[in-house]
Structures are given as C-alpha cells and as structure tokens.
Amino acid sequence: MKIKEFLHELIEKKKEEAEEILLIHVDSFYNLLYSFYNLGLLSIGTLLKAKGFSVRCITSGNLFFISSYKLRAMIQKFSPRLVGFYVNSDNIHNVTHFSRDIKSWVPGVRIVVGGPLATVLGEKILEDTPFDFAVSGEGEYAMLGLAEYYLRGKGTLKDIAGLIYRQGGEVLVNRRAAPLRNMDELPPADYSLIDVSYGFFYSTGRGCPHKCAFCFQEVHGKGYRFFSAPRVVRDIVANVEKYKALTVNIVDDTFVAEPKRVDEICAGLVKERKERKLDFVFFCEGRVDIFDRHPDLIERLKEAGMARLQIGVESGDQEMLDRYHKHIRLEQVERVIERVARVGGVSVYGNFIIGGPFESEKTFEKTLAFAKKLLTMAPGQFECSSSYLCPFPGTEIGEDPSSFGLTIIDREWRRGLTMSDVSCTTVHLGKDRLRELQAVFSSELAKEMRKIAMNLDPAMMEHHFMWALRYKMHTLYYLDVFSAAPILESYFTVKKSTRFRRFADIPKDQLLEWFPFRILERRLYSSEGGMMVLPGYFRKVSLTKPVDIAIYEYSGGKMPLGEIAARISGEFGGTSDEVLRRFMIPLFKKLEKTYHIIFYR
C-alpha cells in the first residue's frame, strides 16, 4: 500500500472498523534499502486473513513516514486486540519500547513476539518486558490459536503448542510445536497486506540441513522443508503478473539444497516466462558444495531468470572454514567461480567474516588474498564484502565462544546493528585491530573492483546497469564502484534506446550516416586552452591534440560522421577518408573505452 493511501486510510478509518490483529515489522531505519517485511509475519497474516480475521500489516517503511502523533492515532483507531512482532537481536530493544507505548495507547491489548530470540530465550524473553506471549518455533498455528481463543472464545491457552505465557503470576511453557512437514498446506502469501513495488520477497522453504557454527536455524526445526516445485512456480508467476513485479528475491538460505527440485522450478519458470512473455529477474542463495557437485545448475538458474546469486565463502583459510563446520573446500569455491565466469551474465556475491574463530593477522591475510583472487577469476561477476562475526544466541559459537578462541564483548546488542561492529574479540586480535582489518579489507577490495571495472567488458557492465535501472537489483559494483564514474549511468541510460549503438555495432556501409553523441555535454579546458578534460570517468581523461579536440567538439549529436569528416578535412587538411581513418576512428574507439561517446541515427 502506498504511503498516501496508508495515511488516508489512517485518518478515515472509523472505530467500529477496528483491526483485530496488527502484525508490525520493526527494522532499523539504517536498513531501509535492504529491509523487507518479515515473511513469517506475512505468512501468519495470510493464514489469519484466510480464516476470516481482520488483519493489518505495518512495515518499517510505514513507520518511517509516520509521525509519532499519527502513529499513536492510527493504532488507537485500529484498537487491535492482538499485536504481533518478529524479534531478533537487532530489533528486540525497539520492539520492547514500542510495545510499552502500544500498551499505554490501547488498554487490554496483548503483545505476542516470535522469531529467533523467542525460540532461544524461551520464558526469559517475558522477564522485564511488556510482552504477554512468546511463540517458540513457527508461528502460524500458534497465532491462529491465540486469535481463536481471544477473538472467538474457542480453545484453551494450554493447548496451543509452542506458546509461552504468563498465568497467575508464573510463566508457563507449552509443548513445542512440531515443525510443519507439508509446507503446501499454508496458503500463498497475500502481498496485498503490504506494499509491493518493483518486486517482492519470497521464501520457498524453511530450515537448513547443514549445521554451520555461526548460523541460527533452530527456530525452524531440524532439516529443510519446502514448498513443492509446482507451488513455487505458481506463486512466483501469479505475483509477478498480479503486481507487475520485475524482481523476485528468494530469501531461503539454502534454496538449492534439493537440486532436483530446483531443476523442476527452473523448468517451470522457463516455460511460464516463454508462454506468458514475462520479464523479471530473481535473486537466490546457494551453497558452494552443491554447485560444485551440480555445475550445470548455475546455467539452468540463469536461464530461468536468475541475475544475482549469493554464496557463503566466509574465509580464505581452510582451517577456519572447518571450524565453522562449513564442509566446503577453498578449491570448490574456485571451481564454482570459474563456472560462473564461463556461464557469464550473472552476478555472484560472497560474504567474508572478519573476527572468526582464532582469527589472526595470518588468517586475515589469507582471506584478503583469496577474495582478490576470486574477483579476478570472474571479472565484474564476483563481488564481495565483509561483516564481523556475531555470536548469536543458540548457535554453537554463541553458546561456547571460548572453544572457538572468542570472547563476547557485547551480549545485549545495544551498540548498533549486529555484524556492523565488533561484538567479540579473538585470542589474537582485539576490537581495535579487528576494526582496522575490516577497513583494510574494504579499502583493498574497493581498489581491486575499481581496477577491474576500468577494463570490464561493456556487455557485463551493461548487465549491472540494467539490473539496477530496470529491475532495482543493485549489485556492489553498481553501488560502490560505478558510482565513482557518473558518466556510466548516463551512458547506459542512453543506450537503453534502440536508436543508440556503440561504434563497433554500426554496419560499415552506414558509418557516415551515424551521429556521434558525447554522453556529457560539459567539457573543461585548461587555462592555456591546449587541453580538454573530459569529466565523469574513474581516471582523468584528456585530449591534447587540436584535431582530437575539434572532433570531440563537433560530436554533439548535430552532424553525422560524414559531415564532421568533411569539416575536419577543411580545417586540418587531408581528404575526408584520411581524416576518418587517421583521426576520427582511433579517437572514437578510445572514447568508447571510457564511455564518453555513443552514436545514433
């Protein structure tokens, strides 16, 4: 729902039309570029709506644009009976404060929290908080049980599996709910409950069959459970068509865990794209070892519409990977990146962790060298960044940090976003040095990516701009590297028109009919007048020969090449053919490499 519509409904809504249930996604405003409405909350809201309850979902984007006064007025007018939150280490303090406010605004409202912290902390999450209930494990049927009990007078609290609650001055913990086995029994996510613009986020399954020491999947139970391939294809196609979506973000940590199922999904998407003439791209995540065993999977995903893939690399030191229980080898990572380079036309993002088990200067140097190597193996396709290790509660590292050579220094997560700063130190490195190393990693990788960008195949660069400008899928090359050369966005924006071509793409027999068009009109001249500086590129680009300066000045899209050649011939001598061959063609080829020139007819 658009912000104006949301606020209008806020003002016009009558008390008797109050929502019964509010599901609020609280995220850091630092994260708004990447934030998406929690899909667990959306699934809960979808099920409750399907069962006839009045449900409202509020997103971080809604919260960002609403004043505190209007927020209070809205919630008071909605007068919800139940308010649900997803809580994790990044939002638990904000949710706690927000819940206290809601309780003061709406007497009798009950607050329910779920998610990783609710599952790990159990009854402790109700200590010194305004929360009335916590749900351990998956939340759909527990929330449905609460809605049935409070809003329809059906059932009992003690029969709601996974529920933790206060009663008579004590905290009661019900039996843990068994994880959903038949995921297809859940109704398709109802995105009309939230705002969908350009694209949507989608989860095809829950859980993970692997046990990395830093990763928390206990909330989803053991193993990996997923929607069937036909269900996934139906959901994606239906929402792409309904919302005119251009991008689908598949957020499963291990989307490719069952390769045969992924094959079916790819085949279904290829068929539907062709028959329905659908234009969309998607992002997904996957494990290196699976792609290494099934190398053709990358090509099939690309054919189905995958533009960007994320893999977990974590470290360039094999011993550290083994301590993480990643069960991957560095040579497997290299083989996968080599395969990506051969396939071409897709971006692969890899994350590296700074401050892992027994991290030292030596292990850091290995990681930095490995990251640089991967960048050069797939120029313009592999991209990476780093984050700090966070010892999440419930993980092996979080529960026993000392066995990993770590000391936790921030257990309350009050200093900032997790993974954005040091929350644990190693036996070899303190927090100040870890911060320095992270800065070194970022600086060195930025230099390497910038160097690659200056020699990148224009076709690959065009992919990054197409993904960003058309599909709103922003790669690190686009955000962190190409932004240093503003001429690039202008170039690829112009090139979207079929009227414009690169010099090499013009038929030779039509050459003289095409108009050279400089991408930026602005030019800078030296004070002596003997040099022209062309702005916008990564490095300084200048013209010093009078004939080159004259050719560039005439390349303003007002004359075709034939006329320019004749004018240059008259001013500097020689025939038009000689001018074209000796001066114009070499100059245009040079300027194309820095994206300063393009041609139209």
Side-chain angles (χ1 to χ4, degrees):
M1 182 179 295
K2 304 300 182 186
I3 294 299
K4 287 184 179 179
E5 297 171 0
F6 188 81
L7 291 175
H8 176 74
E9 204 167 320
L10 154 74
I11 295 169
E12 297 298 322
K13 198 162 187 63
K14 296 181 175 60
K15 181 80 174 181
E16 59 269 20
E17 297 172 346
E19 305 291 352
E20 295 175 315
I21 302 165
L22 284 186
L23 300 174
I24 306 175
H25 176 63
V26 175
D27 204 348
S28 167
F29 295 142
Y30 294 114
N31 273 344
L32 281 185
L33 181 61
Y34 302 103
S35 178
F36 61 94
Y37 192 83
N38 179 262
L39 295 179
L41 286 180
L42 183 60
S43 181
I44 291 169
T46 299
L47 180 64
L48 292 173
K49 183 178 175 182
K51 296 295 184 179
F53 293 97
S54 178
V55 181
R56 170 65 60 120
C57 293
I58 299 178
T59 70
S60 290
N62 299 144
L63 296 175
F64 182 81
F65 285 101
I66 297 177
S67 70
S68 56
Y69 171 79
K70 287 183 177 179
L71 180 61
R72 175 176 180 170
M74 174 189 70
I75 291 178
Q76 286 179 326
K77 284 192 175 185
F78 288 168
S79 191
R81 302 280 299 282
L82 293 172
V83 175
F85 293 96
Y86 168 90
V87 290
N88 59 22
S89 55
D90 273 335
N91 75 0
I92 179 64
H93 302 296
N94 305 78
V95 169
T96 300
H97 290 300
F98 195 6
S99 296
R100 288 197 178 101
D101 286 340
I102 292 173
K103 286 236 170 188
S104 70
W105 299 340
V106 184
V109 68
R110 290 173 173 83
I111 306 292
V112 190
V113 295
L117 284 188
T119 299
V120 171
L121 297 180
E123 62 265 37
K124 290 182 180 179
I125 202 168
L126 298 186
E127 295 177 2
D128 301 318
T129 67
F131 310 145
D132 298 289
F133 301 98
V135 175
S136 177
E138 294 167 304
E140 284 88 354
Y141 289 103
M143 196 66 176
L144 178 60
L146 279 172
E148 292 280 3
Y149 177 77
Y150 276 109
L151 304 179
R152 294 177 179 172
K154 296 181 180 179
T156 63
L157 292 179
K158 66 182 178 63
D159 291 328
I160 301 175
L163 192 66
I164 304 168
Y165 59 104
R166 295 189 185 92
Q167 191 172 78
E170 62 177 325
V171 175
L172 303 180
V173 181
N174 290 352
R175 62 182 172 82
R176 177 76 181 267
L180 280 171
R181 289 300 165 194
N182 179 17
M183 293 289 293
D184 282 5
E185 75 180 50
L186 292 174
D190 184 352
Y191 290 93
S192 69
L193 289 167
I194 58 175
D195 181 24
V196 175
S197 59
Y198 292 105
F200 58 94
F201 291 80
Y202 180 72
S203 175
T204 78
R206 295 176 181 175
C208 179
H210 308 282
K211 298 179 180 179
C212 297
F214 55 80
C215 185
F216 178 75
Q217 283 290 346
E218 180 64 20
V219 68
H220 291 140
K222 306 297 183 183
Y224 180 51
R225 297 156 292 121
F226 43 81
F227 296 131
S228 64
R231 161 71 182 265
V232 171
V233 173
R234 283 197 309 272
D235 285 355
I236 291 176
V237 170
N239 287 303
V240 164
E241 290 191 322
K242 181 176 181 179
Y243 297 104
K244 304 294 186 288
L246 295 172
T247 306
V248 181
N249 293 283
I250 299 174
V251 299
D252 308 28
D253 290 338
T254 48
F255 172 59
V256 300
E258 296 288 338
K260 288 184 178 179
R261 170 177 169 267
V262 177
D263 272 343
E264 289 182 54
I265 292 171
C266 289
L269 290 178
V270 168
K271 178 176 180 291
E272 295 291 343
R273 290 171 70 93
K274 184 177 180 180
E275 291 180 356
R276 298 172 184 264
K277 295 181 171 51
L278 300 177
D279 176 24
F280 69 93
V281 297
F282 68 84
F283 159 89
C284 67
E285 301 182 38
R287 279 183 58 94
V288 163
D289 54 339
I290 294 174
F291 285 120
D292 186 47
R293 292 195 302 270
H294 303 271
D296 293 341
L297 202 55
I298 294 172
E299 198 159 0
R300 289 197 287 276
L301 284 164
K302 178 189 174 184
E303 185 184 9
M306 181 187 74
R308 197 171 190 225
L309 169 69
Q310 180 173 329
I311 57 174
V313 184
E314 324 309 357
S315 177
D317 181 83
Q318 187 61 55
E319 287 187 18
M320 191 171 288
L321 287 179
D322 294 341
R323 292 187 181 110
Y324 284 138
H325 311 320
K326 285 287 295 183
H327 301 297
I328 64 171
R329 306 286 303 172
L330 294 175
E331 54 266 31
Q332 288 180 307
V333 179
E334 292 184 20
R335 285 197 293 267
V336 170
I337 299 305
E338 286 174 346
R339 181 72 181 189
V340 166
R342 287 197 297 273
V343 170
V346 295
S347 173
V348 178
Y349 168 77
N351 184 65
F352 290 88
I353 297 174
I354 305 296
F358 300 97
E359 183 86 272
S360 64
E361 301 280 348
K362 184 178 179 180
T363 60
F364 171 79
E365 289 299 329
K366 287 183 178 180
T367 293
L368 179 59
F370 190 61
K372 288 183 176 181
K373 182 179 182 179
L374 296 178
L375 286 173
T376 59
M377 289 175 66
Q381 290 186 259
F382 181 76
E383 52 180 346
C384 58
S385 64
S386 65
S387 59
Y388 296 104
L389 176 69
C390 185
F392 291 113
T395 65
E396 189 175 348
I397 287 177
E399 297 303 309
D400 186 17
S402 61
S403 68
F404 293 88
L406 300 168
T407 300
I408 299 176
I409 60 175
D410 183 10
R411 288 185 176 275
E412 293 188 325
W413 318 292
R414 291 184 183 271
R415 298 172 185 239
L417 300 181
T418 54
M419 300 184 288
S420 68
D421 195 12
V422 178
S423 55
C424 57
T425 59
T426 81
V427 291
H428 303 293
L429 302 170
K431 64 179 180 180
D432 291 337
R433 184 55 180 157
L434 286 169
R435 287 168 178 159
E436 289 173 355
L437 292 179
Q438 203 273 344
V440 169
F441 188 93
S442 298
S443 175
E444 289 294 309
L445 270 292
K447 289 178 186 176
E448 193 67 36
M449 291 173 71
R450 188 167 175 173
K451 187 194 309 180
I452 289 169
M454 285 192 285
N455 299 291
L456 193 59
D457 179 353
M460 188 62 226
M461 190 179 287
E462 187 170 4
H463 277 299
H464 288 275
F465 278 89
M466 176 184 66
W467 295 329
L469 300 178
R470 175 163 177 75
Y471 300 103
K472 307 302 178 185
M473 180 179 284
H474 301 93
T475 64
L476 293 185
Y477 265 104
Y478 178 82
L479 291 173
D480 298 341
V481 181
F482 298 150
S483 59
I487 196 170
L488 296 175
E489 184 156 345
S490 297
Y491 178 89
F492 286 107
T493 299
V494 169
K495 195 175 180 298
K496 286 192 298 184
S497 169
T498 56
R499 291 189 64 191
F500 290 84
R501 291 188 186 180
R502 290 175 57 82
F503 189 79
D505 299 327
I506 300 173
K508 291 183 179 180
D509 61 340
Q510 299 177 8
L511 191 60
L512 299 181
E513 304 168 16
W514 284 74
F515 290 64
F517 180 81
R518 53 180 175 262
I519 296 299
L520 295 181
E521 173 59 18
R522 181 167 55 94
R523 294 130 29 221
L524 304 175
Y525 294 86
S526 64
S527 57
E528 301 82 14
M531 181 173 69
M532 176 189 288
V533 178
L534 310 185
Y537 194 56
F538 295 107
R539 54 177 169 78
K540 182 179 178 180
V541 179
S542 60
L543 304 178
T544 56
K545 295 178 182 179
V547 65
D548 288 347
I549 293 175
I551 292 169
Y552 190 75
E553 287 177 330
Y554 283 128
S555 298
K558 295 183 177 181
M559 292 185 291
L561 282 168
E563 287 186 23
I564 295 175
R567 281 184 173 268
I568 296 297
S569 173
E571 294 179 19
F572 292 90
T575 66
S576 293
D577 287 344
E578 289 174 335
V579 166
L580 191 66
R581 177 173 47 82
R582 290 182 57 201
F583 302 115
M584 295 177 67
I585 291 177
L587 177 63
F588 290 142
K589 287 183 176 180
K590 172 186 174 181
L591 294 177
E592 278 204 327
K593 290 180 179 178
T594 58
Y595 300 91
H596 280 94
I597 201 82
I598 199 166
F599 300 83
Y600 80 94
R601 189 177 69 164

